[in-house]
């Protein structure tokens, strides 16, 4: 504009207007579109708004040049949310930049319906009936009955359309030939008279259609506008030659014709706007946009159209009163009211009053500047300042700089008003991140953050701050560019009834607000020369004070410029991410920058990344800026002091200025329930803008005061003034900073999405109750644009008069938005009444309840922790404690919140930290003065429902009760550690709480004695320590319990849990002192053993065995483990094969353990009681604990019983049972079922089964164990006979040799007794791989028990097959050693003679002859040294009788003719050998006789 404008307001985007689902509907058309019209494009985006009804409904419509045939329509109501659906109407041709929407008066239904007037650029007009937009979800087009189409250019001689307008049931078009056509669409049929008429400047009457005027042609119609004044519809027409006309549409007469004159030459008239009738001035304001072709500058001229009333209205046009030059930026839209003109340009929004001399232009900041400022795009070096500031502030934790930088940018990119879903998605696509609509819509804030962080990890691949900062710089540059392109302004909207002003953007809608007072100070304080305050805010009537404030603000601005925009971001991030960091830790770092600048070491750290030249230039630039800043501040502060004459005066002004920074106090009077609507969204967004300014302003003032203190000596500030700053002003400003930080946190922090395991959320998601509001709220939780402020506003129960705007159907005007913000911030900080309080932020308790009710635990924790930290830092806990116990309520809520946080899947260390903090909060809450009264009124949501009694007679009694409630809270969330802590704390209070002043014991208010209370608490301690697997502590709790019944119950539970968790070893390792509880433990274990499944792990019987063994009760240990074996024996028959084998193995182990235990006892006492089936293994299930206890107490008397029922088992009986069980086990492995129920010698069929199963080792073990003497030999013969038959092909078909393993104890009990009960790993039965080898191995092994076994084997083989060839090893067993057997065929029972006899008996004459010849020849071939032994008496023996039988058998064979030749040959050989042998015997006999003589 011609002069400088002053910033008067800001754009406030409506949250949620960036995510609209469009329903498309096509318009059917009977006309044929031309190629030129279809390819035509609009010059620019065009948008406007139609206000319908009272209360109004706002219909926004928009046409974009990228889609010139599409008209987008939104229906908005002030008392509803911004619509999530819109209607996108698809026309057959490019649209003319015009649309008009009115209510359909013919529809009498409950739903709104509208009439849409639109027209294509080739003159085809459409009248469309619009239904509710949600009905277009399932249809793709309009019905033909809903569309009325008419071609306004049916006459080929008509000029092209240059302008269009509409009123109710009338469409008006202006043409290039100067004619104006009026069409009553929807009112009359096209062929009906009066459907169409023309307005021409000719004979004064309308021309009929098709008649060409013969008068002078008017210039082309440039623009049209329709307005209703005094119930007359007036048409305002601007022609291209500057002729301005007014037509009365009702009479169709021209009311005014005037030639517009402008001071510039070569003027082109572009646009006409008509304002509302000003009833005071009786003027209709007009605005005409024209452009000079010489200087190429657009100008707006404002005129006043006077109305004179008489017989008829007389119009006169006054000369232009206001000329506004638009120097920069193209004009987008202009709106004119009765006294103001609003000009929307590409680079800003201007407002100026009309008909006022020397009117000041007011500008409104657009959102583009806000987005650029938030993302550090407004200055070239803003992003780099973040790195320097972060290194300075977080110098002690440099590894956190990169995460902090990313956190700053993430917070700002996802900030409501900056975050735009379409823009964000388009920016991610630049990095090849593509998502479907459903995927992107499902993202919560955390999901979006994770996507960004994953991008950084993939793109940067480094944790260094410099590349991460450069990535963010690039990302924000793309984001800002996309934001400006996708949200370009399209139109301006002004609601004259309310004064609401809105902007229509491509993908967003927003309203405008005026500035808050502090913003007027900051943005409107300086004129062009910077000398005079011109903020318009009444600060003081004293001119000097205003001048002092003006210079103070200049100093604050200098401090702000020196620190840069990143300072507030770093400060906010430091307290936002870690509330425990106080401002005292951050502010000194920022102050050091003001004093000494940035450290040169910062640049040195990143020389390799930013380059040495850049680092050097940055260091030099910082040094120059510091010198300039120091000098300017020094001079400015001296000038300030000189003007004020003293620093006290300056501090007075500063203190007066602080009242503009303090959140205003407003008393809320009316009860009201807010709803989620556009007005609420506007309030939240406007609050975030104002809170940011307030927070930064207070911070900058705080920094300036600290800087003044640091250079107090240089500016001659007295000690009193310094003390005043430190003790008065700085605490006040710190409190203001904290308050605005809380407000900013509330309005910018997204809500927390419900946890997936949250049952209440899952239940509400089912929509069982059909609550749409609740469903909508749950869907919004966790989204970027749904902040904590919405939850607070929805819970707002009070309102002043202005607060009614929250539910008004009207959109709020610029001033109302500020009033809403003031009320909202007042309610946050001061509460409903707005009363002063000595307690900082006492209203936080009410906010905490709201957050707790909606599951916003992160926000609740942050808020209460921030208040707690600030309060302790300011040392105001005394006032907090005296405020009716409010402090205890705050601490209790904080503790509950921390507990809730532990349920959100935190890692172990963080979870433990929160638990310890929660414990500390509850302890502190119990110690606050007035806590009983305050906490008594807490609701169930706070974890403290009904305390059970109303008063506490002592502090100890209160703590006893409160600690138990805290214990229950922890128990409710399965936090046993915290619950145990408070159970122990409650125990400490019992004695003091339940003892009267006279020393007598009292009773708990619930009529419980101290013993009962202690018993219950110790039982809880036991339960919690047991849950934590602290078994030693749990046992200590048991023995500390004074209540015997409770102690017994806990002990029983202790044993049961140990068994269930497999931790029963602790009972047997000797670490627990079972003083006076040994019998109870045995009793409980016995009861558990008798009633537990025999296959339970760990088995109580085994536990009893280990328990008694540890206590060196060997016989008891053996008895319990034998009971286990016996019970297995009784149940093994009912098991399947797999379980039966396992049971048998367990029986073996049990019997072995029993034997081992008895071997530790003196042999005279090595016996155990035999189990009684009827008494020991009863498994009654008692219905109550008392019945069980009674049974256990009576058990010892029952066990003794009559003596005649007792029997005893010695160790030898156990060994016998072990062997039998071993055999049964091996048979089960071989799939042979055999069961022995007796206790004596097993039946013979057991050995047969073992042999048949190739279990020879086990078979011999059984034989050697249970048979002696002749019985032993008889069983051995049977076994070897059976084994021999398995080697004969013609014998019994034996089973194949198995690879079974078994014990290595196969010797006799007399010689190898200890080997019988070896329970080590089984060895393979034999090394052979055939039945012959097996037979050989066992025959060699066991022939010592019965010498005749080789003969039995040979006889069995020959009996089975007389022609069988006996194996060489078997023959060698008969032959033995010649030295052992002497001379001839003598020897043991299995000697060569017995083999010779077998050969003869079974017709093996050849083998018999050869065997005889072998021994006869060997006798004759003795060495000379052995001849002397041969000649002894009876030294040589041969079975002569058998030899004679062989001779007879050979003769009989010859006689019968069988094998005659062989028999004769054998007979001959036998005859010769006998002759020689007898001769030799005769010689030896003679020699013996000679030697005797």
């Amino acid at each position: 504009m011609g002069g400088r404008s002053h910033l008067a307001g800001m754009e406030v985007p409506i949250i949620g207007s960036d995510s609209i689902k469009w329903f498309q509907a096509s318009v059917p058309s009977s006309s044929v579109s031309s190629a030129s019209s279809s390819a035509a494009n609009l010059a620019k985006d065009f948008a406007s708004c139609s206000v319908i009804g009272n209360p109004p409904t706002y219909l926004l419509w928009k046409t974009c040049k990228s889609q010139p045939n599409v008209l987008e329509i939104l229906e908005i109501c002030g008392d509803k949310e911004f619509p999530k659906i819109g209607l996108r109407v698809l026309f057959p041709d490019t649209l003319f930049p015009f649309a008009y929407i009115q209510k359909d008066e013919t529809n009498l239904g409950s739903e709104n319906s509208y009439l849409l007037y639109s027209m294509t650029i080739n003159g085809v007009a459409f009248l469309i009936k619009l239904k509710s937009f949600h009905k277009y979800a399932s249809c793709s087009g309009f019905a033909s009955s809903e569309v009325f189409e008419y071609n306004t250019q049916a006459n080929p001689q008509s000029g092209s359309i240059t302008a269009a307008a509409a009123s109710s049931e009338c469409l008006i078009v202006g043409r290039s030939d100067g004619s104006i056509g009026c069409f009553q669409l929807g009112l009359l049929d096209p062929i009906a008279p009066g459907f169409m008429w023309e307005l021409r400047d000719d004979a004064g009457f309308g021309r009929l259609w098709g008649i060409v005027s013969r008068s002078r042609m008017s210039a082309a119609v440039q623009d049209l506008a329709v307005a209703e004044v005094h119930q007359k519809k007036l048409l305002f027409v601007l022609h291209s030659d500057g002729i301005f006309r007014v037509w009365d549409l009702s009479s169709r007469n021209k009311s005014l014709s005037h030639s517009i004159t402008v001071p510039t030459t070569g003027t082109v008239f572009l646009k006409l706007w008509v304002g509302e009738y000003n009833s005071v001035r009786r003027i209709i304001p007009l605005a005409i946009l024209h452009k000079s072709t010489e200087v190429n500058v657009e100008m707006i001229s404002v005129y006043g159209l006077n109305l004179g009333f008489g017989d008829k209205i007389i119009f006169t046009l006054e000369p232009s009163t206001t000329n506004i030059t638009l120097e920069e930026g193209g004009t987008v839209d202009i709106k004119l009211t009765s006294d103001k003109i609003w000009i929307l340009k590409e680079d800003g929004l201007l407002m100026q009053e009309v008909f006022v001399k020397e009117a000041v232009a007011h500008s409104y900041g657009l959102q583009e500047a806000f987005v650029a400022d938030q993302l550090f795009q407004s200055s070239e070096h803003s992003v780099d300042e973040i790195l320097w500031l972060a290194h300075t502030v977080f110098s002690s934790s440099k590894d956190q700089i990169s995460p902090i930088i990313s956190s700053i940018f993430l917070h700002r990119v996802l900030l409501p008003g900056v975050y735009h879903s379409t823009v964000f998605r388009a920016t991610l696509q630049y990095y090849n991140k593509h998502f479907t609509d459903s995927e992107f819509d499902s993202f919560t804030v955390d999901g979006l953050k994770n996507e960004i962080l994953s991008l950084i990890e993939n793109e940067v691949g480094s944790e260094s701050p410099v590349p991460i900062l450069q990535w963010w710089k690039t990302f924000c540059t793309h984001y800002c560019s996309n934001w400006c392109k996708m949200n370009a302004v399209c139109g301006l909207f002004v609601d004259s009834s309310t004064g609401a002003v809105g902007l229509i953007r491509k993908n967003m809608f927003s309203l405008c607000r005026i500035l808050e007072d502090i913003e007027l100070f900051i943005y409107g304080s300086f004129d062009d020369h910077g000398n005079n305050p011109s903020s318009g805010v009444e600060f003081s009537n004293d001119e000097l004070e205003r001048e002092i404030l003006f210079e103070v603000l200049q100093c604050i601005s200098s401090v702000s410029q020196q620190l840069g925009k990143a300072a507030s971001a770093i400060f906010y991030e430091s307290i936002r991410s870690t509330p425990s960091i106080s401002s005292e830790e951050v502010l000194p770092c920022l102050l050091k920058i003001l004093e000494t600048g940035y450290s040169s070491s910062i640049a040195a750290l990143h020389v390799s990344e930013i380059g040495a030249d850049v680092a050097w230039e940055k260091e030099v630039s910082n040094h120059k800026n510091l010198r300039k800043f120091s000098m300017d501040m020094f001079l400015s502060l001296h000038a300030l002091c000189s003007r004020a004459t003293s620093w006290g005066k300056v501090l007075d002004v500063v203190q007066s200025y602080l009242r503009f920074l303090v959140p205003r106090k407003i008393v809320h009077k009316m009860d009201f329930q807010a709803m989620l609507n556009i007005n609420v969204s506007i309030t939240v967004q406007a609050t975030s803008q104002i809170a940011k300014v307030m927070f930064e302003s207070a911070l900058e003032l705080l920094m300036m005061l600290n800087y003044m203190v640091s250079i107090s000596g240089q500016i001659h500030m007295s000690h009193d003034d310094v003390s005043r700053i430190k003790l008065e002003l700085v605490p006040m400003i710190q409190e203001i900073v904290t308050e605005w930080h809380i407000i900013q946190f509330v309005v910018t922090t997204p809500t927390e999405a419900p946890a997936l395991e949250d049952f209440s959320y899952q239940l509400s998601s089912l929509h069982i109750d059909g609550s749409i509001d609740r469903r909508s709220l749950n869907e919004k939780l966790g989204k970027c644009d749904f902040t904590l402020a919405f939850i607070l506003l929805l819970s707002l129960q009070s309102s002043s008069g202005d607060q009614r705007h929250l539910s008004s159907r009207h959109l709020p005007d610029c001033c109302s938005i500020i009033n809403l913000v003031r009320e909202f911030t007042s309610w946050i900080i001061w509460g409903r009444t707005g009363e002063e309080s000595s307690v900082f932020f006492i209203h936080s308790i009410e906010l905490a309840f709201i957050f707790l009710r909606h599951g916003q635990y992160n926000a609740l924790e942050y808020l209460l922790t921030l208040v707690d930290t600030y309060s302790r830092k300011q040392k105001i806990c005394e006032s907090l404690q005296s405020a009716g116990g409010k402090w205890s309520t705050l601490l209790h809520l904080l503790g509950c919140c921390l507990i809730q946080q532990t349920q959100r899947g935190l890692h172990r260390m963080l979870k433990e930290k929160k638990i310890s903090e929660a414990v500390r909060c509850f302890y502190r809450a119990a110690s606050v003065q007035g806590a009983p009264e305050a906490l008594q009124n807490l609701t169930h949501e706070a974890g403290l429902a009904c305390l059970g009694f109303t008063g506490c007679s002592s502090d100890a009694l209160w703590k006893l009760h409160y600690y138990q409630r805290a214990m229950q809270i922890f128990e409710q969330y399965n936090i046993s550690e915290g619950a145990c802590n408070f159970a122990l704390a409650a125990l400490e209070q019992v004695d003091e709480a339940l003892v009267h002043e006279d020393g007598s014991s009292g009773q708990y208010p619930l009529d419980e004695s101290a013993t009962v209370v202690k018993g219950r608490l110790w039982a809880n301690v036991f339960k919690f320590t047991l849950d934590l697997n602290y078994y030693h502590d749990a046992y200590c709790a048991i023995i500390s319990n004074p209540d015997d019944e409770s102690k017994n119950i806990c002990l029983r539970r202790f044993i049961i849990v140990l068994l269930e968790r497999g931790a029963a070893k602790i009972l047997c390792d000797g670490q627990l002192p079972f003083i006076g509880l040994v019998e109870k433990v045995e009793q409980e274990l016995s009861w558990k053993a008798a009633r537990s499944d025999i296959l339970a792990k760990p088995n109580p019987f085994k536990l009893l065995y280990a328990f008694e063994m540890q206590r060196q009760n060997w016989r008891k240990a053996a008895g319990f483990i034998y009971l286990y074996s016996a019970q297995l024996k009784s149940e093994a028959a009912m098991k399947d094969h797999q379980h039966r084998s396992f049971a048998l193995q367990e029986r073996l182990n049990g019997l072995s353990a029993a034997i081992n235990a008895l071997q530790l006892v003196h042999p005279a006492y090595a016996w155990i009681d035999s189990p009684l089936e009827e008494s020991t293994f009863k498994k009654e299930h008692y219905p109550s604990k008392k019945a069980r206890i009674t049974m256990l107490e009576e058990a010892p008397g029952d066990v003794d019983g009559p003596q005649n029922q007792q029997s005893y088992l010695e160790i030898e009986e156990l060994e016998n049972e072990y062997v039998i069980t071993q055999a049964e086990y091996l048979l089960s492995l071989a799939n042979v079922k055999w069961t022995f129920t007796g206790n004596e010698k097993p039946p013979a069929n057991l050995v047969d089964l073992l042999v048949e199963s190739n279990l020879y080792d086990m078979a011999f073990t059984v034989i050697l164990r249970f048979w002696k003497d002749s019985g032993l030999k008889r069983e051995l013969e049977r076994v070897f006979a059976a084994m021999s038959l398995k080697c004969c092909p013609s014998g019994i078909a034996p089973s194949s040799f198995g690879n079974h393993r078994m014990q290595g104890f196969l010797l006799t009990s007399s010689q190898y007794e200890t080997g019988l009960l070896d329970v080590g790993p089984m060895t393979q039965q034999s090394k052979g791989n055939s039945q012959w080898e097996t037979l050989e191995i066992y025959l060699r092994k066991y022939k010592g028990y019965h010498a005749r076994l080789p003969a039995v084997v040979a006889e069995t083989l020959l009996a089975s097959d007389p022609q069988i060839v006996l194996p060489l090893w078997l023959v060698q067993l008969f032959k033995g050693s010649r030295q052992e057997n002497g001379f001839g065929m003598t020897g043991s029972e299995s000697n060569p003679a017995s083999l010779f006899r077998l050969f003869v008996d079974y017709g093996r004459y050849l083998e018999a002859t050869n065997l005889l010849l072998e021994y006869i020849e060997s006798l004759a071939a003795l060495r000379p040294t052995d001849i002397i032994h041969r000649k002894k008496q009876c030294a040589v023996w041969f079975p002569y009788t058998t030899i004679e039988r062989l001779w007879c058998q050979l003769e009989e064979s010859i006689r019968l003719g069988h094998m005659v030749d062989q028999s004769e040959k054998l007979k001959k050989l036998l005859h010769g050998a006998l002759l020689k042998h007898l001769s030799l015997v005769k010689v030896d006999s003679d020699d013996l006789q000679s030697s005797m003589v």
Side-chain angles (χ1 to χ4, degrees), residues 1224-1349:
E1224 185 177 356
Y1225 170 66
L1226 292 176
L1227 286 173
S1228 69
L1229 294 180
N1231 294 323
V1232 177
K1233 188 174 182 180
W1234 179 84
T1235 303
F1236 180 63
T1237 57
N1239 293 322
E1240 303 298 330
K1241 181 185 297 186
N1245 71 328
L1246 171 61
V1247 178
D1248 297 337
L1249 290 174
L1250 291 172
V1251 173
E1252 290 178 8
S1253 303
N1254 296 334
L1255 300 173
Y1256 304 120
D1257 285 345
M1258 192 66 244
F1260 291 123
T1261 301
V1262 172
I1263 292 172
L1264 295 177
R1265 182 72 196 180
F1266 294 99
W1267 278 273
K1268 305 295 181 182
D1269 302 328
S1270 61
L1272 173 64
K1273 293 181 178 181
R1274 184 172 59 255
E1275 289 300 319
L1276 288 175
E1277 290 179 0
R1278 289 179 60 249
V1279 170
F1280 277 99
M1283 294 176 65
S1284 301
L1285 290 175
K1286 290 187 177 183
C1287 298
C1288 300
S1290 60
I1292 300 173
S1295 59
S1296 61
F1297 180 71
N1299 290 325
H1300 303 295
R1301 296 179 175 270
M1302 64 175 301
Q1303 315 289 357
F1305 46 85
L1306 303 175
L1307 304 178
T1308 61
S1309 59
S1310 61
Q1311 187 175 359
Y1312 302 100
E1313 188 69 32
T1314 58
L1316 272 171
L1317 301 175
D1318 180 18
V1319 291
M1322 300 178 184
T1323 58
Q1324 189 172 347
Q1325 291 201 44
S1326 70
K1327 297 180 181 180
N1329 53 12
S1330 68
Q1331 295 290 349
W1332 286 108
E1333 293 176 351
T1334 303
L1335 180 61
E1336 177 187 3
I1337 291 172
Y1338 286 105
L1339 187 59
R1340 291 183 185 275
K1341 191 171 185 178
Y1342 291 101
K1343 70 176 182 177
Y1345 294 96
H1346 187 16
R1348 194 175 175 276
L1349 289 180

Side-chain angles (χ1 to χ4, degrees), residues 1379-1415:
Q1379 296 178 353
E1380 296 177 357
N1381 297 333
F1383 303 102
M1385 302 181 74
T1386 61
S1388 61
E1389 293 183 53
S1390 298
N1391 51 33
S1394 61
L1395 179 61
F1396 177 73
R1397 178 182 55 78
L1398 289 173
F1399 281 155
V1400 173
D1401 290 343
Y1402 288 97
R1404 304 291 290 270
Y1405 306 136
L1406 177 61
E1407 288 84 348
T1409 303
N1410 289 335
L1411 180 63
L1412 180 62
L1413 292 177
E1414 177 184 354
Y1415 276 88

Side-chain angles (χ1 to χ4, degrees), residues 620-898:
V620 172
S621 174
N622 290 337
H623 184 64
K624 289 181 179 179
N625 291 337
L626 176 62
R627 291 184 60 186
K628 183 178 183 303
F629 167 75
S630 300
M631 184 58 67
D632 291 343
M633 284 297 293
F634 177 77
L635 297 176
S636 297
L637 292 175
H638 270 285
L640 176 62
C641 184
S642 299
R643 182 181 293 273
T645 67
S646 68
W647 281 112
K649 182 67 174 177
V650 175
L651 298 182
D652 291 338
V653 172
V654 171
Q655 189 166 357
S656 299
Y657 172 69
L658 289 180
R659 75 176 187 269
F660 293 97
L661 292 172
V662 176
R664 297 197 181 194
K665 302 182 184 68
I666 299 176
V667 178
H668 302 262
K669 299 178 181 179
M670 298 178 62
D671 290 335
F672 175 75
Q673 178 66 48
M675 296 180 295
L676 191 60
N677 53 38
I678 292 178
N679 295 330
V680 170
S681 300
I682 287 294
T683 302
V684 173
Q685 187 59 32
T687 304
S688 69
Q689 295 176 350
I690 295 174
K692 173 182 179 293
V693 175
M694 292 290 192
F695 176 79
E696 294 178 352
S697 301
L699 177 62
E700 291 164 0
L701 177 59
L702 182 61
M703 290 305 305
M704 190 200 73
L705 291 178
N706 285 329
Y707 182 74
M708 290 171 59
V709 171
S710 67
I711 62 170
S712 58
Q714 301 178 30
I715 59 177
H716 309 295
M717 183 176 287
S718 66
H719 178 72
D720 293 338
D721 294 330
V722 172
S723 299
R724 181 181 178 186
I725 292 176
K726 290 182 177 181
L727 301 178
E728 294 183 19
L729 296 181
V730 169
M732 290 173 59
I733 299 174
Q734 286 178 338
E735 183 170 338
I736 292 172
V737 169
T738 306
E739 289 172 346
W740 282 111
H741 166 65
I742 292 173
I743 296 173
Q744 192 174 8
F745 171 79
V746 166
V747 296
T748 60
T749 303
T751 51
E752 182 180 353
L756 295 179
E757 61 272 11
D758 190 339
F759 176 75
S760 60
Y761 169 72
Q762 294 179 351
L763 187 63
S764 64
S765 65
L766 299 176
H767 315 315
I768 297 176
D769 58 350
S771 176
I772 299 178
D773 293 340
R774 182 64 182 173
R775 185 193 320 170
S776 176
L777 180 62
N778 288 334
E779 292 173 352
K780 293 178 182 295
L781 292 176
K783 301 299 183 180
C784 290
D785 54 1
F786 195 73
T787 62
L788 299 170
F790 285 96
I791 292 179
L792 295 182
L793 279 170
L794 292 177
S795 303
L796 184 59
Q797 295 288 338
S798 59
S799 171
S800 67
D802 288 336
Q803 192 71 38
R804 277 174 263 172
H805 288 295
L806 284 176
S807 63
S808 173
R809 293 197 62 176
H810 294 82
L811 295 177
D813 59 30
C814 301
C815 296
S816 298
I817 295 176
I818 291 296
N819 293 332
L820 290 173
V821 171
R822 290 172 180 173
E823 284 219 12
F824 183 44
T825 54
S826 173
W827 181 76
I828 292 177
I829 300 299
W830 308 110
R832 178 180 302 182
T833 60
E835 296 178 355
E836 292 283 352
S837 174
S838 60
V839 180
F840 168 73
F841 198 28
I842 194 65
H843 187 51
S844 60
I845 296 176
E846 184 177 350
L847 302 185
F849 276 118
I850 296 174
F851 289 150
L852 189 64
R853 189 179 306 119
H854 291 85
Q856 302 303 306
Y857 304 115
N858 290 332
L860 175 59
E861 178 190 358
Y862 180 84
L863 176 67
L864 297 183
T865 305
L866 181 67
V867 175
D868 180 30
T869 303
Y870 178 82
S871 301
R872 286 187 286 110
K873 178 187 68 178
Q874 298 296 332
K875 300 179 181 179
I876 59 175
C877 292
E878 293 80 4
S879 62
L880 287 167
Q881 294 187 15
S882 63
K886 295 294 186 180
W887 189 239
S888 63
T889 303
L890 187 147
L891 290 171
H892 180 84
L893 292 177
L894 179 57
C896 293
C897 173
L898 291 169

Side-chain angles (χ1 to χ4, degrees), residues 166 256 404 414 559 591 611 651 812 842 894 946 968 1023 1126 1258 1325 1415 1467:
L256 175 68
I404 287 172
L414 300 178
V559 171
L591 182 60
L651 298 182
I842 194 65
L894 179 57
C946 179
Q968 294 171 1
K1023 174 183 179 299
M1258 192 66 244
Q1325 291 201 44
Y1415 276 88
K1467 183 178 179 182

Side-chain angles (χ1 to χ4, degrees), residues 578-590:
T578 52
S580 58
I581 298 179
S582 63
S583 58
E584 282 80 2
E585 299 176 21
V586 180
L587 292 178
C589 300
L590 300 179

